[in-house]
């Protein structure tokens, strides 16, 4: 049971998530892909924690989960607010950072 | 041993399948469901890595709470079918996945390459209580007390933020009065584009 | 009080006058600034007299005193202090400067009364006197140059005193620019001397000159020629003379002070002071003598034909300074300084008289419109005629003795100097002629309407116009005042002109050849180190020269009488017959046109070239525009990355991450 396999799997998932972020147009799905990337990171952390033999990686992963939850809350809140304002739910149309 | 490997591959395929499903499926609702599947596969993988508490937390918190929240929002917003064509303009549409592939190759090389020698294949010998809630809890209250408290503070902020974002005035729904995303993201001095002229 | 203490008093009293008037101008009422200014100069003159007496108390060998107030800089190889030099030469100059200035101040108190800028006038006048005294009393090149520059600045301020007249400001600028050219020459010359002798104060430089320089050494000749550039710019000698006629735009007292008695004599003073240098470099002295002779001739010819009264006197000044320059360049220092002194008296007197006449004419200055003031203005007529007689060198007047002494010394040098002497006598004839040209045209003949009115007791009062162009003016600040003051009615003006007339008559008697030798004897300690101090023309030669001079002067006056009184209209016929010559002389030998063509136009063209090609096209277009263009292009490229699209940013992020991972991979392997 190579720990290395878990890390490779984590890399795989991370890249899939990255491709999704770059390709999808709905912010909802972009957030989902973001979750994918975070989870991939968690997996890697726990794998390394198993390899090293202490719990620090797991605690780290736990905190990452907390952060992910908060981020999802705020992200979805923004999407809900946008929907309420009747703005288009489209990542390409949100270009006010243009300069 | 064999069982573990089998389980690893099953869970691995599940994870990858879920991930691909998230990216590929057009209907956002289906993407959410795919992610749920992905998360549960990941939980199994965590178990394989003797991180029992985290596997439970993953299922309960992530798949249970966060995804449910997602489902609510998707139901409210009503994610419609998106166009089939790659939506990104020009370069991004063509090269988006390519960049990800490049990254994957790099990471693979990193992991499988020469640095592999540092990875102990089996992992350290761990005792029985490895990954148990008690062990994690002890760490959370001693060594990682500060991050723990900071995380709870972060949760508070997120909750307050969510309330602020989603509130609406009682009875009045005029766009001018309520906070809008435009107001949220606009800075005081105007965009860079305005500044540059 | 020691001699040098009096020297400081002489120098600082005019400065005090200036400061009081400048800072108190709001509170000083009416004529008070005039009185303060005159008092300051009067006290300065009294101090100069005291200085003279104290100096005479000392034995002859020790009559050269330096007193330093303050060491300005003292480093290795360079010492400069604020020091004054009191010796017979500087005492003589102080007396002349402060004395004549005092009389001119008294004249101006009355003459400038209705001018709105009265206070400013006296502040400037006092400042000028201070600068001139600083120049004269300086003991080293540093203070000399400071005084030199101040005098130039003061002359600019005073020439463009009526600053709302464009011609006046243009004249002021012209004078200042030419003075600056002289300043540059002076500074570079001083530097060349410092370079060779490693000293700046006169005593040390003069001591080391024979040791460091061979006779006619290249560097010394160059230094002397550069000093001459400075001297000629100040003294209005050819080729730097074009400013002086234009400077007649100044009020008449200014012309009397600056362009007769003091500033234009600074060049003569310089050459006399630097005599050890010029004696060691006779080539430069020869150049100076030739230029002096040339100027005195050219200026005399021009004075025969110009029609503006003040300009005739201005060219006469130029000519007489030429005599002085000639005198000190043939090493006849006593004679040169003697002529300087007598010229100060009679020229200031002539200008004062001219001021009176111009006031009677209602600020009209053209000779063509004047005539017959003899009965209306007797005092002015008398003093003006005395001045003209002195200028013409009429026997027994002061100008007679001084001018002919210079020419006697010139002939005594022999060789080619005889030519210069002959030129000098020719010009003397012309001088006598034009001096009385003025007298006869202004005071004799048919009285003009202004004169008739004045005989009836009524001073003419015309609308104020610019005398040169005829443009109407007003009488507010920047233009002449509304009232005109003539000598017959103002006690102040008479009080100034009277003593000058007296001095113009008797001043010559201090230096009668063979009889009295006061001035030359007094100046001996200064010029004791000169090789030529004992080269006098013999008494008989001098008497011969005096006789020749007397004859020439009488001939000139007679010629003028003939042309203007006996057969009026002769000049008109001559002007027609010799129209070419007349135009040439009336255009001042075309010097102004020459300078315009060779100096002014090329500079203007260079400026235009600079503006259109270098500035507009190159600097603005290429350098500024190019830099701006590059920055704009670069930043617009950078801006194009800021699309505002989320996914593009995400992509960039990932590219960055890939890059980093790649880097770490490479480093680790």
């Amino acid at each position: 049971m190579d720990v290395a396999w878990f890390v490779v799997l984590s890399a795989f998932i991370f890249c899939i998530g990255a491709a999704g972020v770059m390709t999808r147009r709905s912010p909802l799905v972009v957030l989902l892909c973001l979750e994918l990337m975070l989870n991939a990171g968690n997996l890697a952390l726990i794998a390394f924690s198993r390899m090293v033999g202490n719990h620090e990686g797991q605690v780290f992963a736990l905190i990452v989960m907390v952060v992910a939850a908060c981020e999802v809350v705020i992200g979805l809140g923004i999407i809900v607010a946008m929907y309420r304002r009747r703005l288009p739910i489209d990542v390409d149309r949100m270009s006010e950072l243009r300069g | 041993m064999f069982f573990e490997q089998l389980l690893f591959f099953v869970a691995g395929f599940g994870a990858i399948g879920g991930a691909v499903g998230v990216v590929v499926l057009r209907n956002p609702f289906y993407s959410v469901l795919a992610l749920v599947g992905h998360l549960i596969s990941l939980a199994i993988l965590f178990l394989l890595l003797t991180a029992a508490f985290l596997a439970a937390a993953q299922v309960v918190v992530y798949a249970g709470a966060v995804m449910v929240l997602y489902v609510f929002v998707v139901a409210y917003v009503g994610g419609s079918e998106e166009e089939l064509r790659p939506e990104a303009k020009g370069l991004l549409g063509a090269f988006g996945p390519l960049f990800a592939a490049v990254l994957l190759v790099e990471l693979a090389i990193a992991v499988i390459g020469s640095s592999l020698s540092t990875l102990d294949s089996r992992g350290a010998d761990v005792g029985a209580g490895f990954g148990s809630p008690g062990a994690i809890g002890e760490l959370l209250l001693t060594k990682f007390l500060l991050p723990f408290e900071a995380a709870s503070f972060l949760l508070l902020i997120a909750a307050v933020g969510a309330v602020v974002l989603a509130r609406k005035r009682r009875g009045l729904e005029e766009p001018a009065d309520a906070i809008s995303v435009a107001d949220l993201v606009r800075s005081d001095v105007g965009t860079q584009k305005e500044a540059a002229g | 009080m020691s001699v040098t203490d009096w020297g400081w008093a002489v120098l600082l009293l005019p400065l005090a006058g200036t400061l009081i008037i400048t800072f108190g101008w709001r509170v000083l009422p009416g004529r008070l600034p005039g009185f303060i200014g005159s008092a300051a100069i009067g006290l300065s003159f009294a101090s100069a007299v005291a200085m003279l007496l104290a100096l005479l108390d000392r034995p002859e060998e020790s009559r050269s005193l330096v007193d330093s107030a303050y060491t300005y800089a003292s480093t290795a190889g360079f010492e400069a202090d604020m020091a004054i030099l009191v010796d017979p030469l500087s005492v003589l100059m102080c007396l002349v400067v402060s004395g004549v200035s005092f009389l001119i101040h008294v004249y101006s108190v009355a003459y400038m009364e209705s001018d709105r800028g009265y206070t400013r006038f006296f502040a400037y006048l006092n400042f000028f006197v201070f600068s001139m005294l600083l120049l004269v009393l300086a003991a080293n090149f540093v203070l000399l140059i400071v005084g030199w520059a101040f005098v130039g600045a003061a002359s600019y301020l005073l020439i463009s005193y009526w600053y709302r007249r464009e011609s006046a400001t243009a004249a002021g600028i012209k004078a200042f620019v030419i003075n600056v050219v002289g300043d540059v020459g002076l500074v570079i010359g001083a530097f060349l001397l410092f370079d060779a002798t490693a000293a700046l104060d006169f005593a040390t430089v003069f001591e080391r000159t024979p040791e460091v320089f061979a006779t006619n050494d290249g560097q010394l000749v160059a230094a002397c020629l550069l000093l001459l550039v400075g001297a000629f710019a100040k003294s209005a000698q050819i080729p730097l003379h074009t400013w002086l006629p234009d400077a007649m735009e100044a009020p008449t007292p200014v012309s009397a002070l600056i362009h007769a008695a003091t500033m234009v004599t600074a060049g003569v003073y310089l050459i006399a002071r630097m005599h050890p240098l010029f004696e060691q470099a006779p080539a430069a002295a020869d150049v100076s003598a030739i230029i002096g002779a040339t100027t005195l001739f050219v200026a005399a010819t021009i004075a025969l034909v110009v029609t503006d009264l003040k300009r005739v006197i201005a060219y006469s000044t130029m000519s007489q300074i030429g005599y002085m320059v000639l005198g000190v360049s043939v090493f006849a220092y006593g004679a040169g300084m003697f002529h300087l002194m007598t010229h100060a008296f009679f020229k200031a007197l002539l200008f004062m008289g001219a001021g009176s006449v111009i006031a009677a004419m209602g600020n009209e200055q053209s000779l063509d419109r004047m005539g017959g003031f003899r009965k209306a203005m007797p005092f002015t007529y008398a003093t003006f005629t005395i001045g003209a007689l002195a200028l013409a060198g009429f026997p027994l007047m002061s100008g007679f003795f001084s001018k002919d002494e210079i020419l006697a010394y010139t002939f005594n040098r022999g060789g080619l100097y005889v030519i210069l002497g002959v030129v000098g006598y020719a010009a003397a004839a012309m001088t006598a002629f034009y001096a009385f040209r003025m007298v006869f045209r202004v005071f004799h003949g048919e009285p003009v309407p202004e004169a008739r009115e004045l005989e009836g007791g009524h001073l003419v009062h015309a609308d104020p116009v610019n005398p040169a162009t005829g443009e109407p003016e007003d009488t507010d600040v920047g233009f002449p005042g509304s009232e005109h003051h003539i000598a017959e009615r103002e006690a102040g003006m008479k009080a100034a002109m009277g003593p000058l007339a007296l001095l113009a008559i008797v001043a010559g008697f201090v230096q009668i050849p063979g009889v009295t030798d006061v001035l030359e004897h007094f100046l001996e300690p200064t010029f004791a180190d000169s090789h030529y101090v004992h080269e006098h023309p013999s008494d008989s030669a001098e008497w011969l020269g005096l006789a020749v001079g007397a004859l020439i002067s009488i001939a000139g006056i007679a010629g003028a009488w003939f042309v203007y009184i006996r057969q009026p209209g002769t000049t008109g016929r001559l002007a027609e017959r010799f129209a070419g010559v007349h135009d040439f002389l009336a255009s001042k030998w075309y010097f102004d046109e020459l300078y315009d063509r060779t100096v002014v136009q090329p500079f203007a063209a260079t400026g235009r070239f600079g503006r259109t090609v270098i500035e507009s096209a190159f600097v603005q277009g290429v350098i500024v525009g190019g830099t701006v263009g590059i920055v704009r292009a670069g930043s617009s490229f950078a801006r194009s990355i800021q699309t505002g699209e989320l996914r593009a940013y995400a992509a960039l992020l990932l590219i960055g991450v890939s890059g980093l991972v790649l880097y770490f991979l490479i480093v680790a392997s």
Side-chain angles (χ1 to χ4, degrees), chain A residues 1-3 12 15 22-26 31-32 35 39 46 50-51 55-56 58 68 82 84 96 99, chain B residues 16 23 25 35 39 50 54 58 62 70 82-83 87 96 104 119 121 124 131 136 139 143 166 181 185:
Chain A
M1 200 83 235
D2 252 336
V3 171
F12 214 38
C15 292
M22 283 194 288
T23 348
R24 294 301 294 261
R25 222 162 81 162
S26 165
L31 277 169
L32 286 174
E35 296 304 311
N39 276 297
I46 292 173
R50 176 71 178 83
M51 179 193 92
H55 292 95
E56 291 184 5
Q58 296 187 10
M82 279 168 64
R84 286 250 209 84
E96 288 196 353
Chain B
I16 291 178
V23 173
L25 292 169
L35 188 64
L39 290 172
T50 61
L54 248 74
Q58 175 91 327
Y62 230 127
Y70 255 108
E82 292 179 19
E83 299 92 58
E87 311 85 359
L104 174 62
L119 285 174
S121 63
I136 306 266
L139 271 181
K143 188 170 177 190
V181 175
V185 302

Side-chain angles (χ1 to χ4, degrees), chain A residues 14 18 21-25 91-92 94-95 97-99, chain C residues 639-640 642-647 649-652 654 657:
Chain A
F14 185 85
V21 165
M22 283 194 288
T23 348
R24 294 301 294 261
R25 222 162 81 162
V91 162
D92 285 340
M94 292 193 284
S95 62
L97 278 177
R98 180 183 174 80
Chain C
R639 243 190 310 147
S640 63
Q642 309 275 332
T643 52
E645 286 174 23
L646 211 63
R647 293 196 283 173
Y649 292 166
L652 277 175
L654 278 172
V657 168

Side-chain angles (χ1 to χ4, degrees), chain C residues 91-370:
Chain C
V91 168
L92 175 68
M93 290 295 298
C94 282
L95 283 168
V96 170
V97 169
S98 56
V100 175
S101 306
F102 174 63
L103 291 171
I104 291 174
H105 273 77
V106 172
Y107 180 87
S108 313
V109 168
Y111 190 76
M112 298 294 294
E113 182 169 358
S114 69
D115 195 304
R116 292 277 324 265
Y118 186 76
T119 314
R120 181 167 57 104
F121 185 77
F122 279 96
Y124 286 168
L125 220 57
N126 268 23
F127 175 65
F128 173 82
V129 177
F130 163 68
S131 323
M132 188 70 200
L133 289 171
L134 181 63
L135 193 160
V136 160
L137 282 170
N140 52 40
F141 277 102
V142 173
L143 271 187
L144 177 74
I145 292 171
V146 169
W148 203 268
F150 277 173
V151 169
S155 106
Y156 165 75
L157 290 171
L158 284 165
I159 291 174
S160 46
Y161 173 72
W162 284 323
Y163 55 85
R164 286 171 63 199
R165 266 193 201 161
E166 272 189 44
S167 50
T169 49
I173 293 174
K174 187 173 180 180
F176 193 69
V177 167
I178 297 182
N179 261 297
V180 166
V181 171
D183 283 354
V184 168
L186 182 65
V187 168
I188 299 180
F191 176 72
L192 285 176
L193 290 170
F194 173 68
D195 180 53
T197 58
L200 281 174
D201 58 298
F202 294 152
T204 321
V205 171
F206 296 158
E207 215 178 279
R208 294 187 187 166
T209 300
E211 302 159 19
V212 174
F213 293 113
T215 309
N216 274 337
D217 183 275
Q219 189 169 351
L220 182 61
V221 172
C224 287
L225 287 175
L226 287 164
L227 290 177
L228 284 177
V229 168
F232 291 155
K234 267 288 185 284
S235 295
Q237 303 293 289
I238 289 172
L240 296 167
H241 65 284
T242 47
W243 63 271
L244 187 56
D246 287 13
M248 294 301 117
E249 295 280 343
T252 310
V254 170
S255 303
L257 180 59
I258 296 187
H259 307 127
T262 43
M263 178 170 129
V264 291
T265 56
V268 179
Y269 165 76
L270 183 71
I271 301 176
R273 176 62 77 196
M274 303 289 155
H275 65 270
L277 303 176
F278 282 98
E279 290 188 9
Q280 191 72 4
D286 290 343
V287 169
S288 170
I290 293 171
I291 290 184
T294 314
T295 308
L296 68 88
F297 184 76
V298 168
T301 57
I302 300 177
L304 292 174
V305 296
V306 283
T307 54
D308 185 319
L309 176 61
K310 280 174 73 173
R311 278 171 174 75
V312 175
I313 308 180
Y315 281 107
S316 143
T317 303
M318 210 189 288
S319 180
Q320 298 299 305
I321 305 278
Y323 275 106
M324 294 179 223
V325 168
L326 177 65
V328 291
S329 304
V330 298
F331 311 131
Y333 307 114
M337 299 309 293
F338 181 37
H339 195 57
L340 192 153
M341 187 179 81
T342 59
H343 173 263
F345 299 145
F346 62 72
K347 195 47 65 67
L349 181 63
L350 280 172
F351 267 114
M352 287 183 184
S356 185
V357 170
I358 290 169
M361 290 285 299
N363 277 349
E364 170 66 53
Q365 291 182 223
S366 170
L367 273 179
D368 292 333
R369 299 205 38 215
M370 296 181 190

Side-chain angles (χ1 to χ4, degrees), chain C residues 17-80:
Chain C
T18 285
L19 291 173
I20 293 174
I21 298 175
T22 307
F23 288 112
W25 70 276
R26 278 190 194 278
V27 300
L28 298 171
R31 278 193 181 195
L32 194 53
F35 289 133
I36 294 178
S38 310
I41 307 296
L43 286 173
S44 177
F45 177 67
S47 309
V49 171
M51 181 167 67
L52 170 71
L53 294 174
L55 192 72
L56 288 174
D57 266 344
R58 301 175 68 93
E60 277 196 20
E61 305 78 44
S62 66
R63 283 196 186 165
S64 177
L65 303 158
V66 175
D67 185 39
S68 166
Y70 162 75
T71 303
Y72 176 64
S74 174
T75 67
F78 179 76
E79 279 236 5

